[in-house]
Amino acid sequence: MFRVISIIGFLGIVIAIAFLSRKETNALSTLTSLLRSGKRQDLLYVLAVASFVLLTLSGFLPVLLAGNSVSGALLFIHVIAAPVFAVCIAAVAVLWVRHHRLDKANWQSLLRLTLLQPAPVERHAQTAELGQKLRFWAILLSSASAILSIVLSMYPLFGTYGQTVLLHLHGYSALFLVLAVVAGSYLPMTSRQVDAGKR
Amino acid sequence: MSPSKQALLLALAVVICTAQSFSQDAKIGDVSDGNRSSPVHLLNLYDEEGSIITPQIEPMLPFSPKQTCSPCHDYTRISDGWHFNAATGVLAGRRGQPWIFVDRTTATQVPLSYRAWYGTYRPEELGITPMRFVQLFGRHMPGGGVGDNEQMQTPENVMRWWVSGKLEVNCLSCHDAEPGHDQAEFDTQTRKGNFRWAAGATSGFAAVQGSARDMPDNFSIYGSLLDDGKKIPPAIRYDRNRFDSHAKVLFNLERQVANDRCYFCHSTKVIGAQSKRWQSDEDIHISAGMQCVDCHRNGLDHRMVRGYEGEAQEYDNPGAATLTCKGCHLGEDSEEGVRAAGRLGAPVPDHVGIPPVHFQKLTCTTCHSGPWPAERAYPVKTSRAHALGTHRVNRGDAALPHIVAPVFVEQGDGVIAPHKMFWPSFWAKIERGQVKPIDPLLVQPLAAELVPADTLGTGDWPGLTQGQIATILQGLVQGDSTLTAAYVGGGNLYRLSATGRMIAEEHAAATPYSWAFAHDVRPTAQSLGVRGCDDCHAGDSPFYFAQIPVDTPVAAESGAVRRMVDFQDISSFYARLFGWSFMLRPLLKIIILAAGGVLALIFVSYLFNAFSAFIRGADGS
């Protein structure tokens, strides 16, 4: 089931990117420029992205390709990358959270979006900002869910059923996280160049 | 009457006759009227010809279980049960314990089975006829099978079968609750060739003397003139007091077979620090008051439930699914609408803190069954392999065959289970690349000159040298120049090169034979993992790194070991690295928990802020 949903999710995002992505978006070049900047926050961000990529590949490849759970060398990579990602994402969250607080203007943008009201041209920037903030919170929420679900399963708190639920929660949270990150990086509504001003 | 009506009537008649014949097939003892008490078995004894045995008629003949039980029970159907049907070509199912042919003189221990289990050889491949098979292994057979199958009798043995009689299914082997029942007598009698006398000898109300094996081919059970006064013809003497006035005998039979009856053939002795009987514990189920047959059930067809996962699908027997570990304790695989979990009081486990992947990759028995794994797999002795319980048992710890347990082996379905294991050793011929065992009787004359006698009676390997192996191989080739002879032992195949040099190479035929076991089950508090992950996930845990001795008769190569991980589809390096990684696990957990906590705190605090802002907005403030 999880495999099917994952495949559908990844296919959906690939198709969406193919049709909707902004031509000028180049995640690699953005990361490279951040790395070159030498700022601590930028390095932290790059480290988070790198560990995230490792976690995604090691976690989803066996599921998508073979329908198996993570094991062997991939499990090692997953286990090594996990604490790095957890620390980085926590630090990024602490550093960026103030700039991603939803304000009144965001609320009105959200209402306008949910009511499907056409936005005037001058308000496209507000919509994009809302998208950026929502993506941040989606990443935060799914990261917290993915991290806590797996770490709680390591303690003798839950029985087989609870363990299974936690494992599923970990998987679906991770899937949501991947989709949020990928969508945010490539799709026009949520994506903007990583705005240094907000950091 | 029209042709169509005639056809309809004819069809009706056929249906009625068929239904009647079916109803006649069901014998009185095979159909329960619902009463759960055990019926009294006050029976006339019948000989194999179907004549009643009375105390007044001499000579008294051995009673035939088939003739005695058949009036009330469907012998034919029962005799196709799991304990009797090995040679009938029935689906073999999961690999089980084979019969192990052991001959110290020829340094042979080879797995035999009439079932198509990979790694076993059919007895006839070693020149073992059904008659010899019964003489060798009848000790732990409940009769029937090849001992009761005329079609399998070889022409050269026909007269001997007349003398010995058939080894009929001995219902008493399992169902007898008579205190004087002596199953060890079954061994004594089958070795003497007294097949038709064997059931009577075990019964507790009869004594058998003499030996059919010593009798000439023209021996008659009604009396024969013997040319050798020292030879005693087989004969049975009943306790006449057991016959009532109608020549009936009271059998103390139980439908629910007692554990002791099962144990005669299914005991395991672990040779280790706590190998004395008083030091070892019973299976937790037995301690809880259960009987073997509470789980290993059968219907009239006596197709016992073996109790492994997948059996229900293999044999199209849905009921078997509820009698596995998971079936009883978790209720998995039970039929829709049937609540099977917890039956017979089985506790439903929580498995707190155990990641679910363990339940995909391990059988329940991995953590719960057998001796707790130590640095080295334990030598074990089993009833069937070592003739335990018989009068001729070698009580020495080193007696062949050399079986070890537990060995955690990855099965064909990718799931790891505890196994018993031994390394086959036998003389062989190579034909078109295939390694086929040679009849040890052909090797015995050659080996007897070279192999030292077992003067101490240890029953251990003789300790062959490669030179002795080469000499025997040359001897075999001299006897048959077309033969490419080889010796299999200790994981190697030994053969002579064209120049006469000894070559030892690993070969598939030399790989160890192993079979999964499930008992004795340990209680929860003594299960693997109860002390934490490092019961298994450690750099030196027995689960992965216990030594498995490579048993070999070749003296120079004894002492070699394999590791448990060699029998699992996992690299030793990875297992060790993964084990070591658990040393950092507590730190890892703290880091990740802290990070997750920070994220959760941020999310929750801002969520509250959002709520308060929303409420303020709603107030218009």
Side-chain angles (χ1 to χ4, degrees), chain A residues 149 152-153 155-169, chain B residues 326 329-332 347-360 362 364 368 524:
Chain A
S149 58
L152 286 177
S153 76
Y155 288 95
L157 300 171
F158 298 93
T160 305
Y161 179 74
Q163 288 276 342
T164 309
V165 169
L166 286 175
L167 201 63
H168 281 131
L169 186 60
Chain B
K326 286 183 179 174
H329 288 275
L330 301 174
E332 287 184 8
V348 179
D350 289 330
H351 287 131
V352 171
I354 300 177
V357 68
H358 290 78
F359 309 120
Q360 294 163 13
L362 308 172
C364 306
H368 292 277
T524 310

Short mmCIF file of all heavy atoms in Angstrom, two decimals, chain A residues 149 152-153 155-169, chain B residues 326 329-332 347-360 362 364 368 524:
data_model
loop_
_atom_site.label_atom_id
_atom_site.label_comp_id
_atom_site.label_asym_id
_atom_site.label_seq_id
_atom_site.Cartn_x
_atom_site.Cartn_y
_atom_site.Cartn_z
N SER A 149 8.19 9.79 15.38
CA SER A 149 7.60 8.46 15.22
C SER A 149 8.67 7.37 15.25
O SER A 149 8.49 6.32 15.87
CB SER A 149 6.80 8.38 13.92
OG SER A 149 7.63 8.68 12.82
N LEU A 152 10.44 7.24 18.87
CA LEU A 152 9.58 6.64 19.90
C LEU A 152 9.51 5.12 19.74
O LEU A 152 9.37 4.39 20.72
CB LEU A 152 8.17 7.25 19.84
CG LEU A 152 8.06 8.67 20.38
CD1 LEU A 152 6.65 9.21 20.20
CD2 LEU A 152 8.46 8.72 21.86
N SER A 153 9.59 4.68 18.48
CA SER A 153 9.54 3.22 18.25
C SER A 153 10.79 2.53 18.80
O SER A 153 10.81 1.31 18.93
CB SER A 153 9.36 2.91 16.77
OG SER A 153 10.58 3.11 16.09
N TYR A 155 11.99 3.01 21.73
CA TYR A 155 11.83 2.83 23.17
C TYR A 155 10.76 1.76 23.44
O TYR A 155 9.83 1.61 22.63
CB TYR A 155 11.43 4.15 23.83
CG TYR A 155 12.57 5.14 23.87
CD1 TYR A 155 12.70 6.10 22.87
CD2 TYR A 155 13.51 5.11 24.88
CE1 TYR A 155 13.74 7.00 22.88
CE2 TYR A 155 14.56 6.02 24.91
CZ TYR A 155 14.68 6.96 23.91
OH TYR A 155 15.73 7.84 23.93
N PRO A 156 10.91 1.05 24.53
CA PRO A 156 9.91 -0.01 24.81
C PRO A 156 8.59 0.57 25.32
O PRO A 156 8.23 0.42 26.48
CB PRO A 156 10.62 -0.85 25.89
CG PRO A 156 11.57 0.08 26.55
CD PRO A 156 11.99 1.07 25.52
N LEU A 157 7.92 1.26 24.43
CA LEU A 157 6.66 1.91 24.81
C LEU A 157 5.47 1.30 24.10
O LEU A 157 4.36 1.24 24.64
CB LEU A 157 6.72 3.41 24.46
CG LEU A 157 7.83 4.22 25.14
CD1 LEU A 157 7.91 5.61 24.53
CD2 LEU A 157 7.54 4.31 26.63
N PHE A 158 5.69 0.86 22.87
CA PHE A 158 4.58 0.41 22.05
C PHE A 158 4.72 -1.06 21.66
O PHE A 158 5.82 -1.52 21.39
CB PHE A 158 4.49 1.26 20.77
CG PHE A 158 4.23 2.71 21.05
CD1 PHE A 158 5.28 3.61 21.17
CD2 PHE A 158 2.93 3.18 21.23
CE1 PHE A 158 5.05 4.95 21.44
CE2 PHE A 158 2.70 4.53 21.50
CZ PHE A 158 3.75 5.40 21.62
N GLY A 159 3.59 -1.71 21.62
CA GLY A 159 3.55 -3.10 21.19
C GLY A 159 3.58 -3.19 19.67
O GLY A 159 3.82 -2.19 18.99
N THR A 160 3.32 -4.40 19.16
CA THR A 160 3.44 -4.63 17.72
C THR A 160 2.53 -3.69 16.93
O THR A 160 2.96 -3.10 15.93
CB THR A 160 3.07 -6.09 17.40
OG1 THR A 160 3.89 -6.94 18.20
CG2 THR A 160 3.32 -6.39 15.94
N TYR A 161 1.30 -3.52 17.40
CA TYR A 161 0.37 -2.67 16.67
C TYR A 161 0.87 -1.22 16.68
O TYR A 161 0.92 -0.57 15.63
CB TYR A 161 -1.03 -2.76 17.29
CG TYR A 161 -2.04 -1.88 16.59
CD1 TYR A 161 -2.54 -2.24 15.34
CD2 TYR A 161 -2.46 -0.69 17.17
CE1 TYR A 161 -3.44 -1.42 14.68
CE2 TYR A 161 -3.37 0.13 16.52
CZ TYR A 161 -3.85 -0.23 15.28
OH TYR A 161 -4.74 0.57 14.64
N GLY A 162 1.26 -0.76 17.86
CA GLY A 162 1.78 0.59 17.99
C GLY A 162 3.02 0.79 17.14
O GLY A 162 3.18 1.83 16.48
N GLN A 163 3.88 -0.20 17.15
CA GLN A 163 5.11 -0.13 16.35
C GLN A 163 4.78 -0.01 14.87
O GLN A 163 5.40 0.76 14.14
CB GLN A 163 5.94 -1.40 16.58
CG GLN A 163 6.59 -1.49 17.94
CD GLN A 163 7.90 -0.76 18.01
OE1 GLN A 163 8.49 -0.46 16.98
NE2 GLN A 163 8.35 -0.44 19.20
N THR A 164 3.80 -0.79 14.46
CA THR A 164 3.41 -0.76 13.04
C THR A 164 2.85 0.60 12.68
O THR A 164 3.16 1.16 11.62
CB THR A 164 2.38 -1.87 12.77
OG1 THR A 164 2.88 -3.10 13.28
CG2 THR A 164 2.10 -2.02 11.29
N VAL A 165 2.02 1.14 13.57
CA VAL A 165 1.44 2.46 13.32
C VAL A 165 2.55 3.51 13.24
O VAL A 165 2.56 4.35 12.33
CB VAL A 165 0.43 2.82 14.44
CG1 VAL A 165 0.03 4.29 14.35
CG2 VAL A 165 -0.79 1.93 14.35
N LEU A 166 3.50 3.43 14.16
CA LEU A 166 4.60 4.39 14.16
C LEU A 166 5.43 4.29 12.88
O LEU A 166 5.84 5.29 12.31
CB LEU A 166 5.50 4.16 15.38
CG LEU A 166 4.94 4.61 16.72
CD1 LEU A 166 5.88 4.20 17.86
CD2 LEU A 166 4.74 6.12 16.75
N LEU A 167 5.64 3.05 12.46
CA LEU A 167 6.43 2.84 11.24
C LEU A 167 5.71 3.43 10.03
O LEU A 167 6.32 4.06 9.16
CB LEU A 167 6.69 1.35 11.05
CG LEU A 167 7.87 0.99 10.17
CD1 LEU A 167 9.17 1.50 10.78
CD2 LEU A 167 7.95 -0.51 9.97
N HIS A 168 4.41 3.20 9.99
CA HIS A 168 3.62 3.78 8.88
C HIS A 168 3.64 5.30 8.96
O HIS A 168 3.78 5.97 7.93
CB HIS A 168 2.18 3.27 8.94
CG HIS A 168 2.03 1.89 8.39
ND1 HIS A 168 1.37 0.89 9.03
CD2 HIS A 168 2.49 1.33 7.25
CE1 HIS A 168 1.42 -0.22 8.32
NE2 HIS A 168 2.10 0.02 7.23
N LEU A 169 3.51 5.80 10.18
CA LEU A 169 3.52 7.25 10.36
C LEU A 169 4.85 7.82 9.89
O LEU A 169 4.89 8.86 9.21
CB LEU A 169 3.30 7.57 11.85
CG LEU A 169 3.14 9.04 12.21
CD1 LEU A 169 1.95 9.66 11.49
CD2 LEU A 169 2.97 9.20 13.72
N LYS B 326 1.75 -18.23 15.44
CA LYS B 326 1.01 -16.99 15.16
C LYS B 326 -0.49 -17.23 15.16
O LYS B 326 -1.27 -16.37 15.55
CB LYS B 326 1.43 -16.43 13.80
CG LYS B 326 2.80 -15.78 13.82
CD LYS B 326 3.13 -15.18 12.47
CE LYS B 326 4.49 -14.51 12.50
NZ LYS B 326 4.88 -14.03 11.16
N HIS B 329 -1.39 -17.54 19.03
CA HIS B 329 -1.08 -16.40 19.90
C HIS B 329 -1.51 -15.06 19.31
O HIS B 329 -1.74 -14.11 20.04
CB HIS B 329 0.42 -16.37 20.19
CG HIS B 329 0.87 -17.44 21.14
ND1 HIS B 329 0.80 -17.31 22.50
CD2 HIS B 329 1.35 -18.69 20.91
CE1 HIS B 329 1.24 -18.43 23.08
NE2 HIS B 329 1.58 -19.29 22.13
N LEU B 330 -1.56 -14.98 17.98
CA LEU B 330 -1.92 -13.70 17.36
C LEU B 330 -3.22 -13.78 16.58
O LEU B 330 -3.79 -12.76 16.21
CB LEU B 330 -0.79 -13.24 16.41
CG LEU B 330 0.58 -13.04 17.04
CD1 LEU B 330 1.61 -12.74 15.98
CD2 LEU B 330 0.53 -11.90 18.05
N GLY B 331 -3.64 -15.00 16.28
CA GLY B 331 -4.86 -15.15 15.51
C GLY B 331 -4.68 -14.85 14.04
O GLY B 331 -5.65 -14.64 13.32
N GLU B 332 -3.42 -14.85 13.60
CA GLU B 332 -3.18 -14.56 12.17
C GLU B 332 -3.55 -15.76 11.32
O GLU B 332 -3.48 -16.90 11.75
CB GLU B 332 -1.70 -14.22 11.94
CG GLU B 332 -1.35 -12.85 12.47
CD GLU B 332 0.09 -12.48 12.15
OE1 GLU B 332 0.76 -13.20 11.39
OE2 GLU B 332 0.53 -11.46 12.69
N PRO B 347 -1.33 -16.67 25.60
CA PRO B 347 -1.24 -15.23 25.80
C PRO B 347 -0.96 -14.51 24.48
O PRO B 347 -0.19 -15.01 23.65
CB PRO B 347 -0.06 -15.08 26.77
CG PRO B 347 0.69 -16.35 26.69
CD PRO B 347 -0.26 -17.42 26.25
N VAL B 348 -1.62 -13.38 24.29
CA VAL B 348 -1.38 -12.59 23.09
C VAL B 348 -0.24 -11.62 23.40
O VAL B 348 -0.37 -10.79 24.28
CB VAL B 348 -2.66 -11.82 22.68
CG1 VAL B 348 -2.40 -10.99 21.44
CG2 VAL B 348 -3.81 -12.80 22.45
N PRO B 349 0.88 -11.75 22.70
CA PRO B 349 2.06 -10.96 23.07
C PRO B 349 1.95 -9.50 22.63
O PRO B 349 1.32 -9.20 21.61
CB PRO B 349 3.19 -11.67 22.33
CG PRO B 349 2.52 -12.28 21.15
CD PRO B 349 1.13 -12.62 21.55
N ASP B 350 2.59 -8.62 23.41
CA ASP B 350 2.65 -7.20 23.02
C ASP B 350 3.88 -6.91 22.17
O ASP B 350 3.86 -6.05 21.31
CB ASP B 350 2.72 -6.33 24.29
CG ASP B 350 1.40 -6.33 25.03
OD1 ASP B 350 0.37 -6.48 24.35
OD2 ASP B 350 1.40 -6.21 26.26
N HIS B 351 4.97 -7.64 22.45
CA HIS B 351 6.24 -7.40 21.77
C HIS B 351 6.61 -5.93 21.84
O HIS B 351 6.95 -5.30 20.82
CB HIS B 351 6.18 -7.88 20.31
CG HIS B 351 6.20 -9.36 20.18
ND1 HIS B 351 5.30 -10.05 19.39
CD2 HIS B 351 6.98 -10.30 20.74
CE1 HIS B 351 5.55 -11.35 19.48
NE2 HIS B 351 6.56 -11.53 20.28
N VAL B 352 6.56 -5.39 23.04
CA VAL B 352 6.80 -3.95 23.23
C VAL B 352 8.22 -3.58 22.81
O VAL B 352 9.18 -4.23 23.23
CB VAL B 352 6.57 -3.59 24.72
CG1 VAL B 352 7.02 -2.16 25.00
CG2 VAL B 352 5.10 -3.72 25.06
N GLY B 353 8.31 -2.59 21.96
CA GLY B 353 9.60 -2.05 21.55
C GLY B 353 10.32 -2.84 20.48
O GLY B 353 11.44 -2.49 20.11
N ILE B 354 9.70 -3.90 19.98
CA ILE B 354 10.38 -4.71 18.95
C ILE B 354 9.92 -4.24 17.57
O ILE B 354 8.74 -4.32 17.25
CB ILE B 354 10.09 -6.21 19.14
CG1 ILE B 354 10.59 -6.64 20.52
CG2 ILE B 354 10.75 -7.02 18.04
CD1 ILE B 354 10.30 -8.07 20.85
N PRO B 355 10.83 -3.73 16.75
CA PRO B 355 10.45 -3.26 15.42
C PRO B 355 9.79 -4.38 14.61
O PRO B 355 10.25 -5.53 14.64
CB PRO B 355 11.78 -2.84 14.79
CG PRO B 355 12.66 -2.53 15.96
CD PRO B 355 12.25 -3.49 17.03
N PRO B 356 8.73 -4.05 13.88
CA PRO B 356 7.98 -5.09 13.16
C PRO B 356 8.79 -5.88 12.14
O PRO B 356 8.40 -6.98 11.79
CB PRO B 356 6.86 -4.29 12.46
CG PRO B 356 6.74 -3.03 13.25
CD PRO B 356 8.09 -2.74 13.79
N VAL B 357 9.91 -5.32 11.68
CA VAL B 357 10.71 -6.03 10.69
C VAL B 357 11.16 -7.40 11.23
O VAL B 357 11.36 -8.35 10.47
CB VAL B 357 11.93 -5.18 10.25
CG1 VAL B 357 12.92 -5.01 11.39
CG2 VAL B 357 12.60 -5.77 9.03
N HIS B 358 11.28 -7.49 12.55
CA HIS B 358 11.68 -8.78 13.15
C HIS B 358 10.66 -9.87 12.85
O HIS B 358 11.02 -11.04 12.74
CB HIS B 358 11.85 -8.64 14.66
CG HIS B 358 13.04 -7.82 15.04
ND1 HIS B 358 13.06 -6.46 14.99
CD2 HIS B 358 14.28 -8.19 15.47
CE1 HIS B 358 14.25 -6.01 15.36
NE2 HIS B 358 15.00 -7.03 15.66
N PHE B 359 9.41 -9.48 12.76
CA PHE B 359 8.37 -10.49 12.53
C PHE B 359 8.29 -10.91 11.07
O PHE B 359 7.66 -11.89 10.73
CB PHE B 359 7.01 -9.98 13.03
CG PHE B 359 7.10 -9.46 14.44
CD1 PHE B 359 6.79 -8.15 14.73
CD2 PHE B 359 7.53 -10.28 15.47
CE1 PHE B 359 6.91 -7.66 16.02
CE2 PHE B 359 7.66 -9.80 16.76
CZ PHE B 359 7.34 -8.49 17.04
N GLN B 360 8.93 -10.11 10.22
CA GLN B 360 9.01 -10.49 8.80
C GLN B 360 10.22 -11.37 8.54
O GLN B 360 10.20 -12.23 7.67
CB GLN B 360 9.11 -9.25 7.92
CG GLN B 360 7.87 -8.36 7.95
CD GLN B 360 8.17 -6.97 7.41
OE1 GLN B 360 9.20 -6.72 6.80
NE2 GLN B 360 7.24 -6.05 7.64
N LEU B 362 12.11 -13.14 10.96
CA LEU B 362 12.39 -14.22 11.90
C LEU B 362 11.12 -15.00 12.18
O LEU B 362 10.03 -14.43 12.25
CB LEU B 362 12.90 -13.67 13.24
CG LEU B 362 14.07 -12.68 13.23
CD1 LEU B 362 14.27 -12.11 14.62
CD2 LEU B 362 15.33 -13.37 12.76
N CYS B 364 8.85 -17.10 14.92
CA CYS B 364 8.64 -16.92 16.36
C CYS B 364 9.67 -17.75 17.14
O CYS B 364 10.18 -17.34 18.18
CB CYS B 364 7.24 -17.38 16.76
SG CYS B 364 5.94 -16.59 15.81
N HIS B 368 12.20 -17.72 20.64
CA HIS B 368 11.51 -18.39 21.74
C HIS B 368 11.86 -19.87 21.92
O HIS B 368 11.40 -20.47 22.90
CB HIS B 368 10.00 -18.27 21.54
CG HIS B 368 9.47 -16.88 21.69
ND1 HIS B 368 9.18 -16.32 22.91
CD2 HIS B 368 9.19 -15.92 20.79
CE1 HIS B 368 8.74 -15.08 22.75
NE2 HIS B 368 8.74 -14.81 21.46
N THR B 524 8.47 -16.27 27.97
CA THR B 524 8.74 -14.92 27.48
C THR B 524 9.99 -14.32 28.11
O THR B 524 10.84 -13.73 27.42
CB THR B 524 7.55 -14.00 27.81
OG1 THR B 524 6.37 -14.64 27.36
CG2 THR B 524 7.69 -12.65 27.15
#
